mmCIF file of all heavy atoms in Angstrom:
data_model
loop_
_atom_site.group_PDB
_atom_site.id
_atom_site.type_symbol
_atom_site.label_atom_id
_atom_site.label_comp_id
_atom_site.label_asym_id
_atom_site.label_seq_id
_atom_site.Cartn_x
_atom_site.Cartn_y
_atom_site.Cartn_z
ATOM 1 N N ALA A 7 -1.194 -1.014 -11.629
ATOM 2 C CA ALA A 7 -2.569 -1.210 -11.161
ATOM 3 C C ALA A 7 -2.582 -1.761 -9.744
ATOM 4 O O ALA A 7 -3.383 -1.339 -8.910
ATOM 5 C CB ALA A 7 -3.318 -2.141 -12.103
ATOM 6 N N LYS A 28 -9.306 -2.231 14.434
ATOM 7 C CA LYS A 28 -7.964 -1.830 14.049
ATOM 8 C C LYS A 28 -7.345 -0.957 15.121
ATOM 9 O O LYS A 28 -7.996 -0.091 15.679
ATOM 10 C CB LYS A 28 -7.956 -1.128 12.693
ATOM 11 C CG LYS A 28 -8.576 0.255 12.693
ATOM 12 C CD LYS A 28 -8.318 0.939 11.374
ATOM 13 C CE LYS A 28 -8.777 2.396 11.465
ATOM 14 N NZ LYS A 28 -8.417 3.155 10.318
ATOM 15 N N ILE A 38 -11.265 -6.014 -3.578
ATOM 16 C CA ILE A 38 -12.050 -5.460 -4.682
ATOM 17 C C ILE A 38 -12.103 -6.491 -5.791
ATOM 18 O O ILE A 38 -11.073 -7.019 -6.202
ATOM 19 C CB ILE A 38 -11.425 -4.168 -5.239
ATOM 20 C CG1 ILE A 38 -11.248 -3.139 -4.129
ATOM 21 C CG2 ILE A 38 -12.288 -3.603 -6.373
ATOM 22 C CD1 ILE A 38 -10.416 -1.958 -4.536
ATOM 23 N N SER A 40 -13.928 -7.154 -9.739
ATOM 24 C CA SER A 40 -14.636 -6.560 -10.875
ATOM 25 C C SER A 40 -14.326 -7.392 -12.103
ATOM 26 O O SER A 40 -13.436 -8.240 -12.086
ATOM 27 C CB SER A 40 -14.205 -5.099 -11.093
ATOM 28 O OG SER A 40 -12.856 -5.025 -11.502
ATOM 29 N N ARG A 62 -14.762 -4.632 2.943
ATOM 30 C CA ARG A 62 -13.909 -4.304 4.079
ATOM 31 C C ARG A 62 -14.584 -4.861 5.324
ATOM 32 O O ARG A 62 -15.766 -5.165 5.289
ATOM 33 C CB ARG A 62 -13.771 -2.787 4.214
ATOM 34 C CG ARG A 62 -13.038 -2.120 3.075
ATOM 35 C CD ARG A 62 -13.076 -0.599 3.206
ATOM 36 N NE ARG A 62 -12.828 -0.121 4.535
ATOM 37 C CZ ARG A 62 -11.628 0.183 5.036
ATOM 38 N NH1 ARG A 62 -10.567 0.042 4.270
ATOM 39 N NH2 ARG A 62 -11.486 0.625 6.258
ATOM 40 N N LEU A 72 -16.142 1.847 -10.625
ATOM 41 C CA LEU A 72 -15.482 2.515 -9.510
ATOM 42 C C LEU A 72 -14.202 3.138 -10.052
ATOM 43 O O LEU A 72 -13.363 2.434 -10.620
ATOM 44 C CB LEU A 72 -15.149 1.530 -8.389
ATOM 45 C CG LEU A 72 -14.533 2.140 -7.139
ATOM 46 C CD1 LEU A 72 -15.638 2.668 -6.227
ATOM 47 C CD2 LEU A 72 -13.708 1.099 -6.394
ATOM 48 N N GLY A 126 -12.986 13.532 4.102
ATOM 49 C CA GLY A 126 -13.828 12.459 4.629
ATOM 50 C C GLY A 126 -15.287 12.648 4.268
ATOM 51 O O GLY A 126 -16.175 12.146 4.940
ATOM 52 N N THR A 144 -34.573 10.372 1.997
ATOM 53 C CA THR A 144 -34.209 10.585 0.599
ATOM 54 C C THR A 144 -34.145 12.084 0.341
ATOM 55 O O THR A 144 -34.683 12.883 1.103
ATOM 56 C CB THR A 144 -35.237 9.959 -0.372
ATOM 57 O OG1 THR A 144 -36.505 10.588 -0.165
ATOM 58 C CG2 THR A 144 -35.356 8.466 -0.181
ATOM 59 N N GLY A 145 -33.512 12.455 -0.739
ATOM 60 C CA GLY A 145 -33.414 13.859 -1.125
ATOM 61 C C GLY A 145 -32.761 13.954 -2.488
ATOM 62 O O GLY A 145 -32.629 12.957 -3.206
ATOM 63 N N GLN A 164 -37.619 20.147 -7.448
ATOM 64 C CA GLN A 164 -38.112 18.920 -8.065
ATOM 65 C C GLN A 164 -38.090 17.725 -7.112
ATOM 66 O O GLN A 164 -38.757 16.722 -7.362
ATOM 67 C CB GLN A 164 -37.273 18.578 -9.305
ATOM 68 C CG GLN A 164 -37.233 19.665 -10.351
ATOM 69 C CD GLN A 164 -38.603 19.988 -10.911
ATOM 70 O OE1 GLN A 164 -39.386 19.098 -11.185
ATOM 71 N NE2 GLN A 164 -38.902 21.272 -11.064
ATOM 72 N N VAL A 167 -36.738 16.853 0.472
ATOM 73 C CA VAL A 167 -36.261 15.851 1.418
ATOM 74 C C VAL A 167 -37.485 15.132 1.983
ATOM 75 O O VAL A 167 -38.482 15.754 2.319
ATOM 76 C CB VAL A 167 -35.462 16.503 2.563
ATOM 77 C CG1 VAL A 167 -35.097 15.476 3.620
ATOM 78 C CG2 VAL A 167 -34.222 17.196 2.018
ATOM 79 N N GLU A 168 -37.389 13.805 2.046
ATOM 80 C CA GLU A 168 -38.465 13.009 2.628
ATOM 81 C C GLU A 168 -37.861 12.050 3.647
ATOM 82 O O GLU A 168 -36.956 11.288 3.324
ATOM 83 C CB GLU A 168 -39.196 12.214 1.552
ATOM 84 C CG GLU A 168 -40.313 11.351 2.108
ATOM 85 C CD GLU A 168 -41.038 10.571 1.037
ATOM 86 O OE1 GLU A 168 -41.936 11.142 0.408
ATOM 87 O OE2 GLU A 168 -40.678 9.396 0.829
ATOM 88 N N ILE A 170 -38.826 9.189 6.668
ATOM 89 C CA ILE A 170 -39.827 8.318 7.271
ATOM 90 C C ILE A 170 -39.180 7.685 8.503
ATOM 91 O O ILE A 170 -38.171 6.975 8.387
ATOM 92 C CB ILE A 170 -40.287 7.220 6.290
ATOM 93 C CG1 ILE A 170 -40.912 7.863 5.050
ATOM 94 C CG2 ILE A 170 -41.248 6.263 6.980
ATOM 95 C CD1 ILE A 170 -41.238 6.879 3.945
ATOM 96 N N THR A 173 -41.985 5.234 14.774
ATOM 97 C CA THR A 173 -42.027 5.569 16.193
ATOM 98 C C THR A 173 -42.986 4.603 16.879
ATOM 99 O O THR A 173 -43.924 4.082 16.265
ATOM 100 C CB THR A 173 -42.509 7.008 16.417
ATOM 101 O OG1 THR A 173 -43.790 7.169 15.802
ATOM 102 C CG2 THR A 173 -41.542 8.000 15.797
#
Side-chain angles (χ1 to χ4, degrees):
K28 71 171 188 173
I38 304 169
S40 67
R62 294 174 44 90
L72 184 84
T144 62
Q164 303 299 317
V167 174
E168 179 180 277
I170 299 173
T173 57

